[in-house]
Amino acid sequence: MRIHPDLFYAKILLFGEYSVLLNSMGLSIPYTHFKGELSFIGDDKYTDRNFAKRSNRELLKFLNYLIDNSEQYEVLLDLKSFEKDISKGLYFESSIPESYGLGSSGALCASVYKKYGIHPIGNSKKLKNGEIIHLKNTLALLESGFHGKSSGLDPLNSYLKVPLLIHNQNEIEQVSLPGKKFGEDSAIFLINSQKSGNTEPLVRSFLANCESKEFLSLMEQELIPMNDQCIQELVTGNADSFFTKLSELSKFQWTHFKSMIPANFLDLWQEGLQTEQFWLKLCGSGGGGYLLGFTKKYCSTKDLLLQKGYDIVTVYENEK
């Protein structure tokens, strides 16, 4: 697969949604099926001009936020060049669905940093951990203009374009998926909820809930260990242990994060837990967008879900 330097891809946070805000582990992968790049209205004859104009207006809003907080951002971005290009019709040409948990704002922030960053850190695969963490913190500051508080992982993954294992907020490394150790018919997939989500209020609600000692203890004592164990078993290729821990995590989310799961998917979520044919979990903040699925039996699972009328997108499937 050829990685284009000017394209910035969607991301999928396989594990770590919400818990990374509490310094858990996370596992994030670039998803090249969806992508975006900065362009100018009129440069491409195939441009949807209505989309481009709306995107241009959104960039202007983003710029105004940066200018209003210029003491933080003027040392990071060339705001004058950014403003000049916006006035010339700059927009973000993107196929990444918005409010679907795939990092559309992260890809945008990555592209803006790459083009307008002042002495930007390169997106080399040879970056040291300290450089990666500094880059993550910089991109988190940029994305906070969209979500209030950002972990920085979405734009980091889009910027570096490699799978990232987040040990904690101060240690991140590159990894690869385990392949056929999980069976030739294993797969990771997305289910389209046909409903957009809204990250900011969900993240704000989660952080507010964490002010409760009881809720925070539940996250720290149960959610984070489950999340971290799933990542460890996946990366090391321990299939049986992975699916056991995944089932526990899926059940935990079904029990405690119901408000973040589209109501018409609760029965399907439970069906997966009961049959053990597939397991569902949140993809991003939830509330809509995509749901993330895992299975050992992709052919039969895909047929089942398609028969039920669900829109399925493959993320990762072992070659037969």
Side-chain angles (χ1 to χ4, degrees):
M1 177 184 64
R2 181 175 179 270
I3 299 296
H4 193 287
D6 295 325
L7 292 176
F8 292 87
Y9 302 104
K11 77 85 190 57
I12 295 177
L13 186 62
L14 295 182
F15 294 95
E17 64 286 341
Y18 291 107
S19 62
V20 293
L21 297 174
L22 302 176
N23 208 28
S24 77
M25 295 177 70
L27 181 60
S28 182
I29 63 172
Y31 186 38
T32 58
H33 182 74
F34 296 116
K35 50 192 173 290
E37 64 179 324
L38 289 172
S39 185
F40 287 92
I41 297 174
D43 279 359
D44 188 340
K45 64 181 179 180
Y46 299 109
T47 296
D48 180 337
R49 294 187 68 85
N50 289 331
F51 171 87
K53 289 179 179 179
R54 181 172 66 84
S55 176
N56 177 259
R57 290 193 296 269
E58 291 300 315
L59 283 181
L60 181 58
K61 290 180 183 178
F62 183 44
L63 171 68
N64 289 333
Y65 170 84
L66 300 177
I67 291 175
D68 289 343
N69 297 274
S70 59
E71 69 280 0
Q72 296 184 79
Y73 296 107
E74 63 185 1
V75 296
L76 300 178
L77 297 177
D78 183 349
L79 295 179
K80 289 185 178 180
S81 293
F82 190 27
E83 182 176 20
K84 182 178 179 180
D85 283 349
I86 290 174
S87 69
K88 292 180 178 179
L90 184 74
Y91 76 104
F92 190 56
E93 176 67 53
S94 174
S95 63
I96 306 171
E98 297 178 15
S99 301
Y100 260 63
L102 296 182
S104 57
S105 63
L108 170 58
C109 289
S111 66
V112 168
Y113 178 73
K114 178 70 180 296
K115 186 173 179 63
Y116 300 101
I118 297 175
H119 307 301
I121 295 174
N123 52 356
S124 165
K125 295 181 180 179
K126 297 180 180 180
L127 290 180
K128 297 179 181 179
N129 180 70
E131 293 174 308
I132 293 176
I133 298 303
H134 179 66
L135 178 60
K136 178 182 78 73
N137 293 337
T138 298
L139 293 169
L141 187 59
L142 290 181
E143 197 179 30
S144 66
F146 289 94
H147 301 314
K149 180 177 180 179
S150 166
S151 68
L153 294 177
D154 285 9
L156 180 68
N157 196 267
S158 183
Y159 191 78
L160 294 180
K161 306 175 186 180
V162 293
L164 298 174
L165 171 60
I166 301 96
H167 291 279
N168 52 56
Q169 293 179 7
N170 297 308
E171 184 181 358
I172 297 175
E173 68 169 310
Q174 300 174 20
V175 293
S176 50
L177 296 180
K180 293 182 180 178
K181 288 184 178 181
F182 282 68
E184 291 189 350
D185 198 25
S186 64
I188 303 170
F189 59 92
L190 297 173
I191 303 179
N192 191 341
S193 73
Q194 307 293 340
K195 173 186 177 184
S196 63
N198 192 343
T199 296
E200 184 177 356
L202 290 169
V203 170
R204 188 169 59 245
S205 176
F206 174 80
L207 293 174
N209 288 337
C210 286
E211 295 177 5
S212 160
K213 291 183 178 179
E214 182 179 357
F215 183 83
L216 182 60
S217 177
L218 185 67
M219 298 301 105
E220 292 178 339
Q221 301 301 319
E222 295 190 35
L223 175 62
I224 289 178
M226 277 183 230
N227 173 81
D228 292 0
Q229 288 166 359
C230 281
I231 294 172
Q232 290 164 349
E233 301 298 351
L234 176 59
V235 171
T236 54
N238 298 321
D240 291 341
S241 297
F242 169 72
F243 283 110
T244 297
K245 296 300 179 183
L246 175 65
S247 179
E248 294 175 4
L249 179 60
S250 180
K251 184 176 181 180
F252 181 92
Q253 291 191 349
W254 187 84
T255 302
H256 298 287
F257 285 0
K258 269 194 174 73
S259 62
M260 302 168 185
I261 301 171
N264 56 327
F265 281 84
L266 287 170
D267 288 344
L268 180 68
W269 195 298
Q270 188 174 38
E271 179 181 341
L273 288 170
Q274 292 174 342
T275 64
E276 298 187 341
Q277 182 172 344
F278 59 90
W279 295 267
L280 300 180
K281 64 183 295 295
L282 296 177
C283 180
S285 59
Y290 285 102
L291 296 177
L292 192 57
F294 297 78
T295 181
K296 301 177 188 178
K297 305 172 182 177
Y298 187 53
C299 289
S300 58
T301 296
K302 184 177 181 180
D303 288 344
L304 172 67
L305 295 176
L306 289 175
Q307 288 173 8
K308 289 176 176 287
Y310 293 107
D311 181 7
I312 310 300
V313 182
T314 305
V315 174
Y316 178 82
E317 182 180 9
N318 280 322
E319 297 179 359
K320 304 297 184 291

